[in-house]
Amino acid sequence: MKESINIAVTGKGGTGKSTISTLIIKALYETKKKIILAIDADPNYNLDVKLGLETKRTIGDMREELRKSGDENPGGMSKSQFVEYQLKILIEEGDKFDLLTMGRQEGTGCYCYINNVLRHLIDTLSANYPYIVIDNDAGMEHLSRRTDQHMDFLIIASDATKVGLMTAARIRDMALEMELVHGNVILVVNNAPSPFPEFLDTLVKELSFDNVYIIPYDAEVFDRNARGLSLLDVPRDSSANTMVGCIVKEHLL
Ligand SMILES: Nc1ncnc2c1ncn2[C@@H]1O[C@H](COP(=O)(O)OP(=O)(O)O)[C@@H](O)[C@H]1O
Ligand SMILES: [Mg+2]
Protein backbone atom coordinates (compact mmCIF):
# COMPACT_ATOMS: atom_id res chain seq x y z
CA MET A 1 0.00 0.00 0.00
CA LYS A 2 1.26 3.48 -0.88
CA GLU A 3 2.44 5.34 2.19
CA SER A 4 1.41 8.89 2.83
CA ILE A 5 3.52 11.34 4.79
CA ASN A 6 1.89 11.99 8.15
CA ILE A 7 2.42 15.25 9.96
CA ALA A 8 0.94 15.62 13.45
CA VAL A 9 0.64 18.97 15.20
CA THR A 10 0.24 18.93 18.95
CA GLY A 11 0.83 21.12 22.04
CA LYS A 12 -1.16 22.53 24.92
CA GLY A 13 -4.39 24.49 24.36
CA GLY A 14 -4.22 27.87 22.66
CA THR A 15 -0.62 27.57 21.48
CA GLY A 16 -1.55 27.81 17.81
CA LYS A 17 -1.91 24.15 16.74
CA SER A 18 -4.84 24.81 14.40
CA THR A 19 -3.25 27.96 13.02
CA ILE A 20 0.01 26.15 12.28
CA SER A 21 -1.86 23.13 10.83
CA THR A 22 -3.79 25.41 8.49
CA LEU A 23 -0.69 27.23 7.27
CA ILE A 24 1.10 23.89 6.73
CA ILE A 25 -1.84 22.58 4.67
CA LYS A 26 -1.82 25.78 2.63
CA ALA A 27 1.95 25.64 2.02
CA LEU A 28 1.75 21.96 1.07
CA TYR A 29 -1.03 22.27 -1.48
CA GLU A 30 0.54 25.37 -3.00
CA THR A 31 3.85 23.56 -3.43
CA LYS A 32 2.78 20.01 -4.23
CA LYS A 33 -0.42 20.82 -6.17
CA LYS A 34 -1.95 17.67 -4.70
CA ILE A 35 -4.98 17.23 -2.46
CA ILE A 36 -3.99 17.11 1.21
CA LEU A 37 -6.01 15.27 3.87
CA ALA A 38 -6.62 17.37 6.98
CA ILE A 39 -7.73 15.49 10.10
CA ASP A 40 -9.07 17.53 12.99
CA ALA A 41 -8.43 15.24 15.95
CA ASP A 42 -8.99 17.84 18.67
CA PRO A 43 -12.33 17.12 20.42
CA ASN A 44 -12.67 20.89 20.63
CA TYR A 45 -12.57 21.10 16.87
CA ASN A 46 -12.31 24.32 14.86
CA LEU A 47 -9.94 23.58 12.02
CA ASP A 48 -12.96 23.78 9.70
CA VAL A 49 -13.34 27.52 10.37
CA LYS A 50 -9.65 28.21 9.76
CA LEU A 51 -9.89 26.26 6.49
CA GLY A 52 -13.03 28.17 5.47
CA LEU A 53 -15.34 25.13 5.80
CA GLU A 54 -18.11 24.06 8.14
CA THR A 55 -18.11 20.63 9.76
CA LYS A 56 -21.64 19.24 9.88
CA ARG A 57 -20.96 15.80 11.22
CA THR A 58 -18.06 14.18 12.99
CA ILE A 59 -16.70 10.66 13.40
CA GLY A 60 -17.82 10.96 17.05
CA ASP A 61 -21.44 11.52 15.93
CA MET A 62 -21.28 8.48 13.69
CA ARG A 63 -19.65 6.33 16.36
CA GLU A 64 -22.38 7.25 18.83
CA GLU A 65 -25.09 6.39 16.31
CA LEU A 66 -23.52 3.03 15.61
CA ARG A 67 -23.23 2.24 19.29
CA LYS A 68 -26.88 3.08 19.85
CA SER A 69 -27.94 0.81 17.00
CA GLY A 70 -26.50 -2.13 19.02
CA ASP A 71 -26.73 -5.43 17.15
CA GLU A 72 -29.04 -4.07 14.47
CA ASN A 73 -27.55 -3.35 11.10
CA PRO A 74 -28.07 0.34 10.35
CA GLY A 75 -29.93 0.96 7.09
CA GLY A 76 -29.79 -2.77 6.27
CA MET A 77 -26.01 -2.54 5.79
CA SER A 78 -23.32 -4.36 7.71
CA LYS A 79 -21.57 -2.12 10.24
CA SER A 80 -18.39 -2.08 8.20
CA GLN A 81 -20.30 -1.11 5.00
CA PHE A 82 -22.16 1.54 6.97
CA VAL A 83 -18.93 3.04 8.32
CA GLU A 84 -17.37 3.04 4.86
CA TYR A 85 -20.41 4.76 3.39
CA GLN A 86 -20.61 7.28 6.23
CA LEU A 87 -16.92 8.13 6.01
CA LYS A 88 -17.42 9.22 2.43
CA ILE A 89 -20.20 11.56 3.55
CA LEU A 90 -18.21 12.80 6.55
CA ILE A 91 -15.31 14.06 4.51
CA GLU A 92 -15.66 17.70 3.56
CA GLU A 93 -14.19 17.87 0.11
CA GLY A 94 -12.36 20.91 -1.16
CA ASP A 95 -10.44 21.25 -4.40
CA LYS A 96 -7.16 21.62 -2.51
CA PHE A 97 -7.73 19.60 0.63
CA ASP A 98 -10.26 17.27 2.25
CA LEU A 99 -11.21 17.51 5.91
CA LEU A 100 -12.18 14.77 8.33
CA THR A 101 -13.32 15.86 11.82
CA MET A 102 -13.01 13.31 14.62
CA GLY A 103 -15.26 15.11 17.12
CA ARG A 104 -15.64 14.06 20.70
CA GLN A 105 -14.00 11.01 22.16
CA GLU A 106 -16.03 7.95 23.02
CA GLY A 107 -18.09 8.00 26.21
CA THR A 108 -18.70 5.03 28.47
CA GLY A 109 -19.71 1.81 26.74
CA CYS A 110 -17.99 -0.51 24.33
CA TYR A 111 -16.46 1.05 21.29
CA CYS A 112 -13.71 -1.47 20.57
CA TYR A 113 -15.34 -3.02 17.52
CA ILE A 114 -16.35 0.33 16.03
CA ASN A 115 -12.91 1.79 16.69
CA ASN A 116 -11.21 -1.12 14.99
CA VAL A 117 -13.39 -0.75 11.90
CA LEU A 118 -12.77 2.98 11.91
CA ARG A 119 -9.04 2.67 12.29
CA HIS A 120 -8.83 0.26 9.40
CA LEU A 121 -10.96 2.43 7.15
CA ILE A 122 -9.11 5.65 7.98
CA ASP A 123 -5.82 3.91 7.26
CA THR A 124 -7.14 2.68 3.90
CA LEU A 125 -8.52 6.09 3.03
CA SER A 126 -5.34 7.86 4.12
CA ALA A 127 -3.26 5.91 1.64
CA ASN A 128 -4.91 7.92 -1.15
CA TYR A 129 -3.28 11.17 -0.08
CA PRO A 130 0.38 12.19 -0.39
CA TYR A 131 0.18 14.17 2.86
CA ILE A 132 -1.97 13.97 5.97
CA VAL A 133 -1.92 16.81 8.47
CA ILE A 134 -3.41 15.96 11.87
CA ASP A 135 -4.42 18.80 14.20
CA ASN A 136 -4.38 17.22 17.68
CA ASP A 137 -5.00 18.05 21.27
CA ALA A 138 -2.08 17.54 23.66
CA GLY A 139 -3.00 13.93 24.47
CA MET A 140 -0.67 11.61 22.62
CA GLU A 141 -2.47 8.50 23.93
CA HIS A 142 -5.46 9.23 21.74
CA LEU A 143 -3.25 9.62 18.75
CA SER A 144 -1.78 6.17 19.14
CA ARG A 145 -5.20 4.56 19.47
CA ARG A 146 -6.71 6.45 16.60
CA THR A 147 -4.84 5.04 13.66
CA ASP A 148 -2.17 2.41 13.15
CA GLN A 149 -0.17 4.82 11.09
CA HIS A 150 3.18 6.06 12.18
CA MET A 151 3.93 9.76 12.24
CA ASP A 152 6.68 11.04 10.05
CA PHE A 153 6.84 14.46 11.65
CA LEU A 154 5.68 15.71 14.99
CA ILE A 155 5.28 19.44 15.34
CA ILE A 156 4.89 20.62 18.91
CA ALA A 157 3.52 24.11 19.41
CA SER A 158 4.35 26.11 22.52
CA ASP A 159 3.70 29.63 23.70
CA ALA A 160 6.62 31.73 24.84
CA THR A 161 6.48 30.58 28.46
CA LYS A 162 8.49 28.22 30.65
CA VAL A 163 5.36 26.13 31.31
CA GLY A 164 4.63 25.86 27.59
CA LEU A 165 8.17 24.78 26.77
CA MET A 166 8.27 22.22 29.60
CA THR A 167 4.94 20.80 28.36
CA ALA A 168 6.35 20.61 24.84
CA ALA A 169 9.39 18.69 26.10
CA ARG A 170 7.14 16.30 28.02
CA ILE A 171 5.01 15.64 24.93
CA ARG A 172 8.17 14.99 22.89
CA ASP A 173 9.53 12.54 25.48
CA MET A 174 6.21 10.69 25.64
CA ALA A 175 5.95 10.46 21.85
CA LEU A 176 9.50 9.11 21.56
CA GLU A 177 8.96 6.68 24.42
CA MET A 178 5.77 5.36 22.79
CA GLU A 179 7.61 5.19 19.47
CA LEU A 180 4.93 7.25 17.80
CA VAL A 181 7.28 9.28 15.62
CA HIS A 182 9.67 7.95 13.04
CA GLY A 183 10.99 11.25 11.74
CA ASN A 184 11.78 14.67 13.07
CA VAL A 185 10.28 16.39 16.09
CA ILE A 186 9.98 20.13 15.53
CA LEU A 187 9.36 22.67 18.26
CA VAL A 188 7.48 25.80 17.21
CA VAL A 189 7.43 28.61 19.75
CA ASN A 190 4.44 30.58 18.53
CA ASN A 191 3.12 34.06 19.11
CA ALA A 192 6.50 35.06 20.51
CA PRO A 193 7.72 38.55 21.30
CA SER A 194 10.59 39.95 19.25
CA PRO A 195 13.32 40.01 20.22
CA PHE A 196 12.98 36.55 21.74
CA PRO A 197 13.82 36.76 25.48
CA GLU A 198 17.26 35.41 26.31
CA PHE A 199 16.13 33.27 29.28
CA LEU A 200 13.65 31.44 27.02
CA ASP A 201 16.30 30.96 24.38
CA THR A 202 18.55 29.38 27.03
CA LEU A 203 15.71 27.13 28.20
CA VAL A 204 14.96 25.98 24.62
CA LYS A 205 18.62 25.00 24.24
CA GLU A 206 18.60 23.16 27.59
CA LEU A 207 15.59 21.14 26.51
CA SER A 208 17.60 19.98 23.47
CA PHE A 209 15.04 20.06 20.72
CA ASP A 210 16.60 19.13 17.39
CA ASN A 211 14.66 21.66 15.36
CA VAL A 212 13.31 24.94 16.70
CA TYR A 213 11.32 27.63 14.91
CA ILE A 214 10.03 30.85 16.39
CA ILE A 215 6.89 32.45 14.98
CA PRO A 216 6.37 36.02 16.17
CA TYR A 217 3.02 37.62 16.86
CA ASP A 218 1.33 38.02 13.48
CA ALA A 219 -1.34 40.74 13.23
CA GLU A 220 -2.84 39.24 10.03
CA VAL A 221 -3.28 35.86 11.69
CA PHE A 222 -4.64 37.43 14.87
CA ASP A 223 -7.20 39.50 12.97
CA ARG A 224 -8.57 36.58 10.94
CA ASN A 225 -8.69 34.28 13.95
CA ALA A 226 -10.41 36.95 16.03
CA ARG A 227 -13.10 37.43 13.38
CA GLY A 228 -13.57 33.68 12.87
CA LEU A 229 -12.40 33.91 9.27
CA SER A 230 -10.44 31.49 7.13
CA LEU A 231 -6.64 31.75 7.30
CA LEU A 232 -6.12 30.64 3.73
CA ASP A 233 -5.77 34.18 2.42
CA VAL A 234 -3.24 35.35 4.99
CA PRO A 235 -0.68 37.35 2.96
CA ARG A 236 2.26 35.33 1.72
CA ASP A 237 4.78 37.58 3.48
CA SER A 238 3.06 37.63 6.87
CA SER A 239 5.49 36.45 9.57
CA ALA A 240 3.57 33.26 10.47
CA ASN A 241 3.18 32.29 6.83
CA THR A 242 6.84 32.90 6.09
CA MET A 243 8.00 30.84 9.08
CA VAL A 244 5.66 27.92 8.36
CA GLY A 245 6.83 28.09 4.73
CA CYS A 246 10.41 27.57 6.00
CA ILE A 247 9.38 24.56 8.12
CA VAL A 248 7.64 22.99 5.13
CA LYS A 249 10.52 23.65 2.77
CA GLU A 250 13.26 22.55 5.17
CA HIS A 251 11.60 19.41 6.54
CA LEU A 252 8.35 18.31 4.99
CA LEU A 253 8.85 18.23 1.21
N1 LIG B 1 1.46 33.82 15.37
C1 LIG B 1 0.33 34.32 15.90
N2 LIG B 1 0.15 35.66 15.94
C2 LIG B 1 -0.96 36.20 16.50
N3 LIG B 1 -1.94 35.47 17.06
C3 LIG B 1 -1.83 34.14 17.03
C4 LIG B 1 -0.70 33.48 16.45
N4 LIG B 1 -0.87 32.13 16.56
C5 LIG B 1 -2.04 31.95 17.20
N5 LIG B 1 -2.61 33.15 17.49
C6 LIG B 1 -3.83 33.40 18.30
O1 LIG B 1 -3.98 32.38 19.27
C7 LIG B 1 -5.29 31.85 19.26
C8 LIG B 1 -5.21 30.34 19.40
O2 LIG B 1 -4.72 29.77 18.20
P1 LIG B 1 -5.18 28.33 17.73
O3 LIG B 1 -4.46 28.04 16.47
O4 LIG B 1 -6.66 28.23 17.72
O5 LIG B 1 -4.58 27.45 18.94
P2 LIG B 1 -4.88 25.92 19.34
O6 LIG B 1 -5.34 25.19 18.12
O7 LIG B 1 -3.55 25.40 19.84
O8 LIG B 1 -5.88 25.94 20.44
C9 LIG B 1 -5.90 32.31 17.95
O9 LIG B 1 -7.20 32.76 18.13
C10 LIG B 1 -5.04 33.46 17.48
O10 LIG B 1 -5.67 34.69 17.74
MG1 LIG C 1 -7.09 24.05 17.83
Side-chain angles (χ1 to χ4, degrees):
M1 193 159 53
K2 191 161 65 64
E3 291 271 314
S4 38
I5 295 177
N6 297 336
I7 302 159
V9 183
T10 182
K12 77 180 180 72
T15 51
K17 296 178 293 293
S18 305
T19 299
I20 294 166
S21 301
T22 303
L23 297 179
I24 289 176
I25 291 162
K26 177 175 148 70
L28 281 174
Y29 71 60
E30 284 174 354
T31 321
K32 303 299 283 188
K33 313 269 187 249
K34 296 251 170 71
I35 304 224
I36 313 295
L37 176 63
I39 299 184
D40 191 344
D42 189 337
N44 241 328
Y45 61 89
N46 59 27
L47 189 63
D48 57 338
V49 176
K50 291 178 173 42
L51 288 170
L53 297 173
E54 188 196 347
T55 292
K56 292 169 210 82
R57 203 168 137 76
T58 69
I59 295 264
D61 297 332
M62 177 184 78
R63 193 198 271 120
E64 210 45 51
E65 219 168 89
L66 266 175
R67 195 185 60 87
K68 282 197 191 119
S69 71
D71 289 335
E72 278 171 42
N73 285 338
M77 289 182 249
S78 77
K79 281 211 161 70
S80 145
Q81 279 171 330
F82 178 78
V83 172
E84 192 166 358
Y85 165 75
Q86 288 274 318
L87 262 185
K88 289 202 180 105
I89 303 176
L90 280 173
I91 293 181
E92 300 282 341
E93 293 194 352
D95 54 350
K96 298 184 171 111
F97 53 84
D98 292 347
L99 171 66
L100 189 60
T101 304
M102 303 301 291
R104 73 182 189 90
Q105 314 293 330
E106 56 265 47
T108 52
C110 185
Y111 292 85
C112 297
Y113 170 78
I114 304 169
N115 282 345
N116 281 338
V117 172
L118 258 176
R119 194 182 296 146
H120 172 72
L121 282 171
I122 291 179
D123 286 347
T124 312
L125 169 105
S126 304
N128 299 331
Y129 298 86
Y131 281 93
I132 303 170
V133 179
I134 311 168
D135 179 12
N136 274 281
D137 56 0
M140 302 300 292
E141 309 81 7
H142 297 305
L143 200 69
S144 62
R145 271 193 294 132
R146 205 167 277 132
T147 99
D148 286 332
Q149 298 212 348
H150 62 276
M151 280 183 286
D152 297 291
F153 298 98
L154 179 63
I155 297 180
I156 309 178
S158 171
D159 49 17
T161 66
K162 182 175 177 181
V163 170
L165 292 170
M166 302 297 278
T167 308
R170 214 173 305 129
I171 295 172
R172 173 200 57 193
D173 295 344
M174 202 193 301
L176 293 176
E177 200 177 298
M178 292 167 77
E179 298 181 355
L180 293 176
V181 206
H182 292 186
N184 284 340
V185 177
I186 301 168
L187 170 70
V188 179
V189 187
N190 183 34
N191 216 348
S194 333
F196 193 60
E198 214 170 303
F199 73 96
L200 287 178
D201 193 44
T202 309
L203 179 59
V204 167
K205 289 194 178 94
E206 279 169 12
L207 293 171
S208 25
F209 276 91
D210 293 333
N211 305 287
V212 181
Y213 290 82
I214 295 170
I215 301 183
Y217 170 82
D218 183 322
E220 300 279 359
V221 163
F222 174 83
D223 184 65
R224 282 167 180 75
N225 269 330
R227 292 172 196 273
L229 298 174
S230 156
L231 296 181
L232 296 178
D233 64 347
V234 164
R236 196 174 285 273
D237 61 353
S238 86
S239 55
N241 222 353
T242 306
M243 216 25 126
V244 171
C246 287
I247 298 173
V248 169
K249 207 162 92 202
E250 288 165 17
H251 296 277
L252 310 182
L253 294 183

